[in-house]
Amino acid sequence: MHVVPLPALADNYIWLLHDDSGHAIVVDPGEAQPVEEALHARKLKLCAILLTHHHNDHIGGAAALRAAHGALIYAPEDERISAATHRVRDGETLILAQPEARFQIIAVPGHTLSHIVYAGEGVLLCGDTLFSLGCGRLFEGTPAQMLSSLQRIASLPGDLLVCCGHEYTVANGRFAQTVEPGNTALKQRLDDVAKLRAKQQPSVPAPLSSELACNPFLRVNSNDVIAWCRQHGAANDDPVARFAALRSAKDGFQA
Ligand code: ZN
Ligand code: FE
């Protein structure tokens, strides 16, 4: 499967997956036009649209793409996603015939309550739950829910490529470095990201193993994060409190 990030809106990525025979999937099309252009340029047939959560910057183009191409729309159970043709639930395996693909569905409440991720075909399609070097804001869920969602993601195979919904890596990295200034894997990743962004290339996807080494929101049990909580007067005795402290510090962080 070929995996291509399509820049959309201000800083979104729509993920395009396609096989060698020209059958395509798109993930979280916040608008239709970048998808139409990519389908045309690559001579692809759009067969399926996967949605992770109800925010308009992830679903805004889905109905138009379905109207134009007849593609099926897979989405979590949520009445705010009215364009869906098929609902998928936690624990299910989504099996597509064209392109031939299988994805494990995992419920990840936190950014929104009905947010799901799709894992399979070497990729993790994770919307606004996990970002490179960061995680989504808690619009609907609690810190405990989001931490538990991220921990489920963290237990997946490390070679999965993290295909997230936004290009937020540089700003996330600035915050991450304030939390773990001594993390050499993080420093290396930031050097790599700076080179990619200087060439206007996407900083994603990166393997999940890299996020486990660099992303503070996946590292609430690291000595650096525990020490950071202590220095910032945050409760440091339990992982949920550490996660909540990190998340609220990031919310107020000016990069
Ligand atoms: Zn969102
Ligand atoms: Fe978003």
Side-chain angles (χ1 to χ4, degrees):
M1 197 78 83
H2 303 270
V3 179
V4 186
L6 307 177
L9 301 170
D11 50 27
N12 281 74
Y13 287 123
I14 300 166
W15 291 90
L16 170 68
L17 312 183
H18 70 89
D19 62 15
D20 286 325
S21 60
H23 295 108
I25 301 168
V26 290
V27 185
D28 283 0
E31 57 179 342
Q33 196 198 336
V35 176
E36 295 291 6
E37 286 168 7
L39 295 173
H40 183 75
R42 294 164 185 263
K43 299 184 171 52
L44 300 173
K45 172 167 174 47
L46 181 63
C47 301
I49 299 168
L50 310 187
L51 304 178
T52 63
H53 69 293
H54 76 276
H55 287 157
N56 202 54
D57 63 311
H58 296 254
I59 71 173
L65 290 169
R66 169 158 172 74
H69 302 279
L72 301 176
I73 303 179
Y74 297 86
E77 201 84 63
D78 188 319
E79 64 188 13
R80 297 171 294 188
I81 311 178
S82 57
T85 60
H86 292 67
R87 302 291 176 171
V88 289
R89 288 167 201 83
D90 183 58
E92 287 180 1
T93 302
L94 171 61
I95 301 175
L96 302 177
Q98 283 188 321
E100 201 175 304
R102 288 172 157 261
F103 299 98
Q104 186 188 342
I105 309 299
I106 303 171
V108 288
H111 178 66
T112 68
L113 288 177
S114 63
H115 200 307
I116 57 170
V117 300
Y118 302 80
E121 305 304 316
V123 296
L124 174 69
L125 305 163
C126 54
D128 289 354
T129 293
L130 179 65
F131 294 122
S132 188
L133 307 181
C135 73
R137 284 178 188 259
L138 303 185
F139 287 120
E140 297 180 3
T142 64
Q145 282 176 313
M146 187 62 147
L147 179 59
S148 141
S149 294
L150 291 172
Q151 286 172 336
R152 287 188 73 186
I153 287 173
S155 71
L156 295 168
D159 59 356
L160 286 180
L161 295 174
V162 175
C163 298
C164 56
H166 292 268
E167 180 60 66
Y168 287 163
T169 315
V170 169
N172 286 342
R174 289 196 186 107
F175 176 75
Q177 267 208 309
T178 67
V179 178
E180 294 196 286
N183 183 332
T184 54
L186 172 59
K187 189 168 187 328
Q188 180 63 56
R189 169 79 175 130
L190 288 173
D191 289 348
D192 296 343
V193 166
K195 287 182 192 128
L196 289 166
R197 298 306 294 149
K199 294 182 284 183
Q200 274 92 46
Q201 287 174 12
S203 66
V204 288
L208 181 58
S209 56
S210 167
E211 296 305 320
L212 293 171
C214 301
N215 185 329
F217 295 94
L218 297 177
R219 297 174 53 76
V220 294
N221 295 322
S222 77
N223 289 332
D224 281 357
V225 171
I226 293 169
W228 178 91
C229 288
R230 194 172 295 133
Q231 282 163 16
H232 289 75
N236 59 40
D237 51 348
D238 96 285
V240 173
R242 292 194 294 274
F243 177 80
L246 279 180
R247 189 56 266 177
S248 75
K250 176 63 170 64
D251 288 345
F253 182 73
Q254 302 292 334

